[in-house]
């Protein structure tokens, strides 16, 4: 695209920062977005990321002589080169995944690599701008060219996103079968055959059902305890488990409706949130009305849950992403406020269960 529709240099730099922050923010928001109504998060994430392609093209075209001429280097140049490499790698891995690519790096899927690179770009951009700080002035925003160039950036991202979707359909690429979240199907309807994954390092030893009980307490009129046999129920539902590592799987889950447990425990008027806690200390909370519609599953597609999938009990939360489907559940706590410490627990539960326990706030 010619210079006629190119943003002024300072605006290019700051637009790159804005586009990077937008792409990272929508990417992180996508980790907790699993309902079909959340599709806009992933659409705008793709458009924002692809808009960066045009901005980086303008940027690299402008600085290519400084980058290729070793004599013109200064102390900031190596970081600038690293930033360019990481940014291009983040865009390339995201695009390859969108077209259905399955290349991974060790135990990590390509989608995880894309997310890691995207997050790494942010501090690199900030340090880069600190070393070459030039604030835009009023002249940079003046004139029709700036407006047209800004529209061109967004239009390029939107058009490229649309063409990518059409190319997947036209050429029958694997990306055409991705869910709106970008996840690919794996193991639907095959019982425990779908992938076994854990958030960070959450991976306890197998649980002896004879030594296990489900405790229901907190803001309730009656505290309850159930062993495994008492939780054998015919309640079930068919729903999608969508993992943030890049796969989804549709199954028939069977177990106990959380709403039935709550009715038996008689929540007080203060009850607003339900916290589901694993034997590891890992936990996640749902608003009480949403939790009533959730399931504590004992079976998947007629098979007893395997240890890796949460035996003896796992949360099935329709519309939530996989890391929110707590496995190895041993406690259902009715709360007045959301358990803010769950954001710490999901990261440390596999490393230091004791620390996660101390972080619990039961107010």
């Amino acid at each position: 695209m010619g210079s006629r529709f190119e943003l002024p240099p300072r605006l290019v730099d700051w637009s790159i920062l804005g586009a990077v922050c937008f792409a990272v923010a929508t990417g992180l928001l996508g980790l907790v977005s699993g309902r079909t109504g959340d599709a806009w998060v992933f659409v705008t994430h793709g458009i924002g990321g692809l808009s960066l392609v045009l901005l980086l093209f303008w940027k690299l075209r402008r600085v290519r002589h400084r980058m290729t001429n070793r004599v013109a280097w200064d102390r900031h140049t190596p970081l600038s080169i690293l930033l360019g490499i990481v940014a291009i790698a983040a865009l390339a891995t995201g695009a390859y995944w969108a077209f259905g690519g399955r290349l991974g790096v060790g135990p990590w899927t390509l989608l995880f690599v894309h997310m890691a690179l995207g997050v790494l770009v942010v501090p690199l951009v900030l340090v880069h701008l600190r070393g070459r700080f030039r604030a835009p002035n009023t002249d940079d925003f003046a004139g029709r060219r700036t407006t047209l160039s800004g529209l061109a950036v967004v239009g390029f991202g939107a058009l490229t996103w649309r063409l990518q979707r059409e190319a997947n359909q036209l050429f029958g690429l694997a990306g055409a079968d991705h869910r709106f979240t970008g996840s690919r199907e794996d193991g639907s309807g095959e019982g425990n055959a779908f992938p076994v994954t854990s958030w960070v390092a959450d991976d306890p030893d197998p649980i002896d059902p004879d030594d296990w009980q489900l405790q229901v307490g907190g803001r309730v009129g009656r505290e309850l305890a159930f062993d495994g046999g008492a939780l054998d129920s015919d309640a079930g539902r068919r729903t999608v488990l969508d993992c943030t590592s890049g796969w989804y799987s549709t199954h028939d889950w069977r177990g106990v409706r959380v709403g039935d447990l709550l009715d038996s425990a008689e929540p007080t008027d203060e009850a607003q949130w339900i916290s589901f806690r694993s034997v590891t200390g890992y936990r996640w909370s749902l608003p009480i009305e949403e939790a009533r519609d959730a399931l504590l599953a004992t079976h998947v597609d007629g098979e007893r849950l395997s240890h890796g999938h949460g035996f003896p009990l796992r949360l099935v939360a329709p519309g939530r992403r996989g890391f929110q489907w707590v496995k190895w559940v041993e406690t259902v706590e009715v709360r007045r406020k959301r358990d803010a410490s769950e954001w710490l627990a999901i990261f440390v539960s596999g490393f230091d269960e004791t620390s996660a326990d101390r972080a619990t706030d039961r107010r």
Side-chain angles (χ1 to χ4, degrees):
M1 186 171 295
S3 59
R4 179 181 176 185
F5 294 105
E6 184 172 338
L7 288 169
R10 283 184 289 256
L11 279 187
V12 169
D13 294 345
W14 288 94
S15 295
I16 288 174
L17 174 61
V20 166
C21 292
F22 179 82
V24 171
T26 51
L28 293 175
L29 182 59
L31 295 179
V32 293
S33 302
R35 296 177 175 84
T36 53
D38 297 329
W40 67 269
V41 175
F42 303 93
V43 173
T44 56
H45 174 74
I47 292 173
L50 290 168
S51 296
L52 268 169
V53 173
L54 182 56
L55 292 169
L56 285 174
F57 170 75
W58 287 341
K59 173 72 174 181
L60 293 174
R61 186 177 65 176
R62 190 179 83 235
V63 303
R64 67 183 184 276
H65 297 300
R66 293 205 308 265
M67 306 289 277
T68 56
N69 183 3
R70 184 66 178 83
V71 176
W73 282 26
D74 59 24
R75 62 191 181 90
H76 302 296
T77 304
L79 176 64
S80 300
I81 294 174
L82 175 62
L83 171 59
I85 293 172
V86 174
I88 292 171
L91 291 170
T93 51
Y96 188 55
W97 179 268
F99 282 115
R102 297 194 175 207
L103 180 68
V105 178
W108 300 294
T109 65
L110 188 67
L111 184 61
F112 177 86
V113 174
H114 165 69
M115 290 188 290
L117 290 169
V119 171
L120 179 59
V121 166
V122 175
L124 291 177
V125 169
L126 292 174
V127 174
H128 172 74
L129 284 176
R130 181 185 177 188
R132 301 187 183 278
F133 180 83
R134 292 185 304 162
N137 57 41
T138 54
D139 291 338
D140 291 326
F141 296 94
R144 186 174 61 176
R145 190 186 76 168
T146 298
T147 302
L148 292 176
S149 298
L151 292 174
V153 170
V154 178
F156 176 85
L159 178 61
T160 307
W161 178 85
R162 185 63 187 176
L163 289 175
Q164 172 263 315
R165 302 271 293 182
E166 294 296 332
N168 274 337
Q169 296 289 341
L170 180 63
F171 297 107
L173 301 178
D177 296 325
H178 284 184
R179 198 165 182 252
F180 70 89
T181 57
S183 297
R184 55 181 174 80
E185 191 278 332
D186 195 343
S188 292
E190 299 178 4
N192 287 288
F194 62 99
V196 175
T197 58
S198 291
W199 185 261
V200 188
D202 201 49
D203 186 18
D205 292 332
I207 296 169
D208 184 347
D210 294 331
D211 296 331
W212 173 90
Q213 277 191 328
L214 175 68
Q215 306 285 334
V216 182
R219 304 278 179 165
V220 296
R222 301 171 56 203
E223 293 191 349
L224 305 174
F226 302 91
D227 59 26
L231 293 171
D232 193 9
S233 169
D234 291 330
R237 66 179 305 160
R238 183 174 182 82
T239 194
V240 177
L241 170 59
D242 193 328
C243 183
T244 53
S245 61
W247 57 268
Y248 77 92
S249 202
T250 305
H251 299 277
D252 292 310
W253 306 89
R254 180 162 63 87
V256 179
R257 286 187 65 253
V258 175
D260 292 339
L261 287 179
L262 295 179
D263 289 341
S264 299
E266 301 174 359
T268 67
D269 293 339
E270 294 179 317
Q272 296 293 327
W273 289 85
I274 310 299
S275 176
F276 301 89
R277 184 187 180 97
S278 169
V279 298
T280 66
Y282 189 106
R283 51 194 176 273
W284 195 259
S285 303
L286 298 176
I288 188 168
E289 291 306 318
E290 180 183 352
R292 283 187 172 277
D293 195 41
L295 193 74
L296 288 172
T298 57
H299 292 75
V300 55
D301 297 326
E303 297 180 7
R304 184 72 174 174
L305 284 174
S306 67
H307 169 68
H309 290 310
F311 174 85
L313 206 63
R314 85 170 295 163
L315 176 65
V316 172
R320 296 281 182 160
R321 302 304 295 274
F323 79 93
Q324 298 165 311
W325 290 36
V326 182
K327 296 192 282 189
W328 312 294
V329 176
E330 68 170 0
T331 303
V332 175
E333 183 185 8
V334 182
R335 300 174 56 92
R336 180 170 62 91
K337 295 181 179 180
R338 186 173 189 174
D339 182 3
S341 67
E342 66 193 23
W343 286 103
L344 172 63
I346 63 174
F347 289 103
V348 304
S349 60
F351 297 107
D352 187 351
E353 183 178 337
T354 303
S355 294
D357 290 340
R358 286 198 297 263
T360 304
D361 175 8
R362 298 183 180 272
R363 289 179 296 173

